[in-house]
Amino acid sequence: MLTNMLRTKKLFIFDMDGTLIESLGVWGSAEVEFIYQVSGIKVDKKEIADFRDQFLGSCISSDPYYSWVAYLKECYHMPGEVDDLAEYRKSICFKILEETVSLKPFAKELLTLLKENGYLVSLASAGALESLNRVLYKIPATEFLGNDVFDLIMSSSSVEKLKPAPDIHLKTLEYFNLKREDAVIFEDSLVGLMAAQNAGIDSIIVKEPLNKECRKVKDMATYYVNSLEEVYNSLLEIVQKRPKIR
C-alpha cells in the first residue's frame, strides 16, 4: 500500500520533465524546429524525440547534449560550427519552453506539504543545468520550483552516466548520508523507472499520457499513480498523525 511505504521515507527524489512539469512535447517540437530552420529538412516529431532519448541514454560523453547537436550536424549536413548550432538549438528550446511549460497538477501542493513537514526534497534530472535553471528561475509558470523547494539539484553535469544508470540517485543518497530504504523516487518514464530499480530505491511512477511507454511502465511499476494528488492525499494522512520529522 502506498501510504505504508511512504511512512518510512525521509528523502523524496523527483524527476523534472513529465513528473513535476508538463514539458514532454516541448523537446520534440524544438528538435523539429531546429532541424528545419538549419537544414530545411522536415522530420517527424515523435521519431526524432524517441531517437534523441535513446541517444542521450546511451551517450558516454561528458556533455551529451553537445554530442547530440554534433550528431544532428553530421546527420542533416548542417552548416556552421557545433558551438553555434548548440546555442541556436538552445534558444529555440527555451522559447518553446517559456511559451508552453506548466506545473503538473498538485506538484506545488505536494512539494509544499513535504517542505512544511521537514522532509528532504531533491531534484534528479537528466536535463542540462542551464535548462533546469530556466525552469526554476526564469519562467513564471514554474518559478515556484525555484523558491528553495529543493535541498539538492542534480543535473546531467552532476554525473558521468545518465539514466537508466543509477549514478544520479546513488550520488544523491551519498550527499544526504542516507540508505536506499530512506528514499523514494518519482518518475514518469521507463528509463527513469530503470534508473530507480538499478539504484535499488522504491519508486512511484506518475501517469504521463504523452509517454510512449506509458502502458509498459504501468505494468512494471511497484507503485503507479494517475496524478500527484494521490501521493499528496496519502502523505497528508501520514503527517496529520505524527509530528514533523525535523
Side-chain angles (χ1 to χ4, degrees):
M1 184 178 177
L2 179 60
T3 302
N4 289 337
M5 185 273 285
L6 291 174
R7 291 186 197 280
T8 63
K9 303 306 179 184
K10 301 175 183 178
L11 169 63
F12 288 66
I13 304 173
F14 290 88
D15 171 54
M16 176 74 90
D17 291 319
T19 302
L20 288 178
I21 64 173
E22 303 276 16
S23 61
L24 287 192
V26 169
W27 311 113
S29 298
E31 303 297 1
V32 170
E33 181 69 14
F34 170 62
I35 294 170
Y36 180 72
Q37 289 294 333
V38 178
S39 69
I41 298 173
K42 294 183 178 181
V43 297
D44 181 81
K45 175 180 173 180
K46 183 178 184 303
E47 288 182 0
I48 194 66
D50 288 351
F51 184 73
R52 182 206 55 227
D53 291 345
Q54 294 174 16
F55 182 96
L56 295 176
S58 61
C59 185
I60 59 174
S61 167
S62 60
D63 190 342
Y65 289 93
Y66 184 89
S67 297
W68 169 242
V69 175
Y71 169 82
L72 292 178
K73 171 179 168 59
E74 180 179 357
C75 182
Y76 295 101
H77 307 290
M78 296 178 172
E81 300 297 324
V82 176
D83 287 342
D84 295 332
L85 291 171
E87 285 301 315
Y88 183 55
R89 174 186 174 275
K90 193 183 300 180
S91 69
I92 292 174
C93 288
F94 289 161
K95 182 177 185 297
I96 297 176
L97 192 69
E98 290 170 0
E99 292 173 348
T100 62
V101 74
S102 63
L103 284 175
K104 297 280 281 190
F106 268 81
K108 182 175 183 178
E109 290 84 351
L110 175 58
L111 292 169
T112 299
L113 185 63
L114 287 168
K115 296 300 292 183
E116 289 180 346
N117 286 275
Y119 291 94
L120 293 168
V121 182
S122 176
L123 182 67
S125 172
L129 183 58
E130 186 175 359
S131 296
L132 296 186
N133 285 337
R134 178 73 57 139
V135 172
L136 296 173
Y137 304 112
K138 296 185 178 181
I139 300 178
T142 57
E143 63 183 359
F144 163 79
L145 297 175
N147 189 27
D148 298 324
V149 168
F150 300 107
D151 299 289
L152 176 67
I153 295 175
M154 301 284 280
S155 68
S156 61
S157 60
S158 303
V159 291
E160 292 184 3
K161 295 182 180 179
L162 301 181
K163 305 171 188 178
D167 302 35
I168 199 166
H169 299 311
L170 297 180
K171 195 170 181 180
T172 297
L173 289 180
E174 182 180 357
Y175 178 87
F176 291 110
N177 193 28
L178 292 174
K179 299 177 180 179
R180 289 175 170 84
E181 56 266 31
D182 295 325
V184 59
I185 296 168
F186 290 79
E187 280 282 0
D188 69 290
S189 68
L190 178 59
V191 69
L193 174 59
M194 291 171 63
Q197 292 178 338
N198 290 335
I201 300 174
D202 285 331
S203 60
I204 297 173
I205 302 302
V206 183
K207 180 180 179 180
E208 173 46 71
L210 291 180
N211 190 315
K212 61 184 182 298
E213 295 163 323
C214 183
R215 185 178 298 276
K216 186 175 182 179
V217 171
K218 183 177 182 179
D219 292 339
M220 292 176 59
T222 304
Y223 298 97
Y224 184 91
V225 296
N226 289 312
S227 76
L228 292 173
E229 183 177 7
E230 294 179 41
V231 184
Y232 172 83
N233 290 332
S234 293
L235 189 66
L236 185 61
E237 178 183 339
I238 293 170
V239 301
Q240 287 177 337
K241 295 180 180 179
R242 74 176 187 189
K244 296 181 180 180
I245 62 175
R246 68 168 181 168

